Every structure is written in C-alpha cells, then in structure tokens.
Amino acid sequence: MSDTEGSPRKSGYRVEYASSARAKCKGPKPCTGTTISKGELRLGTLIEVRGATTYSWRHWGCVTPKIISNIKTSIGSVEDLDGFDDLSDEDKSRLRHAFEEGKVADADIPPSGRKPADEDAKEGEKSRKRAPKKKADADTEEGDEPQARKAPTKKPRAKVSRDFHYLAMVVLICATESSCCLI
C-alpha cells in the first residue's frame, strides 16, 4: 500500500509510481500477473480482503475504457483522482488525454499487455467460422414437423456369470491357505 493512504481524498482509485517491483498487474490477459516495475505509473483500485482494505494494481496501459468511465462516474474530474497531484506534468497530460478520449493511448500499453500478432489472426479466424447447419432443417420439407431426436441409449452392463464369482472365491480361499493347490 502507499504511504499516503490516509490522504483526505479516498475515492477508491489511486494513481502513483510503483514504490517497488513487488506488485503484480491485475489487468487483462496477457498482462495479468506480470510485475509492475519500480517507478512505473500504475492505477490502484481499492478492494477489501478479509476485512482489510488494499489496492489492486495494474499498469497504466492496462486500464480499460470501462475503468475510465467508472472513474469518471465516481470521481468526475481526473484532477480529483487520488495521487494525481504527485505526478509529473507529462504523466498528468497522459491521464488528461486518456480521460478525454475515454481510453489509454496505444503508446502507453506495456509490451507485456500487447497480444502477439499471431493471436490476433487466430481470433479473427475464430470469429469468421460459422456453425454447421442442422440436418433437421435440411431434412424437413414445407409443412412437415421436424422429427424429435431420441436420446442415445446406454449400453447394458455386462452380466458377470456365476462361474466367475465361484472362481474368484476359490482363488481367495486358496490364497489364504498355504497348502492349497489349483487344478
């Protein structure tokens, strides 16, 4: 947690430079779990864990448009964000620009937060695939009712013969007696 936790503004969100490299990013995949480097700009969301309040941190570049809209709704102005006054002028302008646009600039997204190019292509292919047409639609003619599908039947369990049980009993008895022999 930050040293200025007792600050007069307690909004549920805090922006600051990472004081150590211990915090992990809670941003979207693929960045989730990566370390936030010391001195890197980060956004904290106030959470409660087992009765204690703490911050859930993410890289500034991993902040989603939904989070920005939530901050706008709860706080109003970016200048009212906890920790904003402690930032450099360059970072203040980055935050103002993100609040105006409603999203973080692409240049601010960390390398760990970028999806590899081949994953983007795979996602595009997935969205283009269509489900195969149902046979029931193709088989029905006009005015015909589609046939109800029957549930698959279970295979009956194989019955164990009485001879097998008898043989198993004999083996057990012989195993316990040392002088027994099988024919």
Side-chain angles (χ1 to χ4, degrees):
M1 227 192 274
S2 69
D3 297 333
T4 59
E5 180 179 331
S7 66
R9 289 187 281 188
K10 199 71 164 178
S11 62
Y13 297 99
R14 176 163 179 74
V15 64
E16 69 179 20
Y17 299 110
S19 58
S20 68
R22 292 178 296 166
K24 305 289 184 198
C25 181
K26 302 290 191 272
K29 290 181 183 178
C31 195
T32 303
T34 59
T35 304
I36 300 173
S37 302
K38 182 177 180 177
E40 195 171 355
L41 185 63
R42 64 183 183 177
L43 177 83
T45 306
L46 195 64
I47 60 170
E48 187 173 329
V49 179
R50 297 182 184 169
T53 56
T54 186
Y55 285 97
S56 173
W57 298 105
R58 59 177 63 213
H59 295 101
W60 169 247
C62 294
V63 175
T64 63
K66 180 67 177 171
I67 293 174
I68 291 176
S69 71
N70 289 344
I71 294 172
K72 283 181 185 178
T73 304
S74 67
I75 297 174
S77 173
V78 69
E79 284 83 11
D80 294 334
L81 188 61
D82 191 22
F84 182 80
D85 297 332
D86 300 331
L87 300 179
S88 68
D89 291 336
E90 180 185 344
D91 288 332
K92 286 180 183 178
S93 66
R94 286 172 44 191
L95 265 67
R96 285 187 190 108
H97 184 263
F99 271 68
E100 290 170 4
E101 295 291 319
K103 65 176 186 148
V104 175
D106 289 337
D108 292 338
I109 299 173
S112 60
R114 297 184 188 278
K115 292 182 181 177
D118 58 340
E119 279 188 24
D120 291 336
K122 288 179 184 178
E123 285 183 12
E125 290 174 9
K126 289 179 184 178
S127 63
R128 289 187 213 136
K129 289 183 180 178
R130 293 186 181 170
K133 291 186 178 182
K134 295 180 181 177
K135 288 186 177 183
D137 294 341
D139 294 342
T140 58
E141 295 178 15
E142 290 181 32
D144 287 348
E145 291 288 322
Q147 295 178 349
R149 293 185 178 182
K150 294 181 181 178
T153 57
K154 293 183 179 178
K155 292 182 179 180
R157 290 180 65 184
K159 294 183 180 178
V160 180
S161 68
R162 290 183 187 174
D163 294 337
F164 178 76
H165 285 293
Y166 177 73
L167 183 60
M169 295 288 287
V170 170
V171 170
L172 284 174
I173 293 170
C174 288
T176 57
E177 296 179 16
S178 60
S179 62
C180 182
C181 63
L182 290 175
I183 300 175

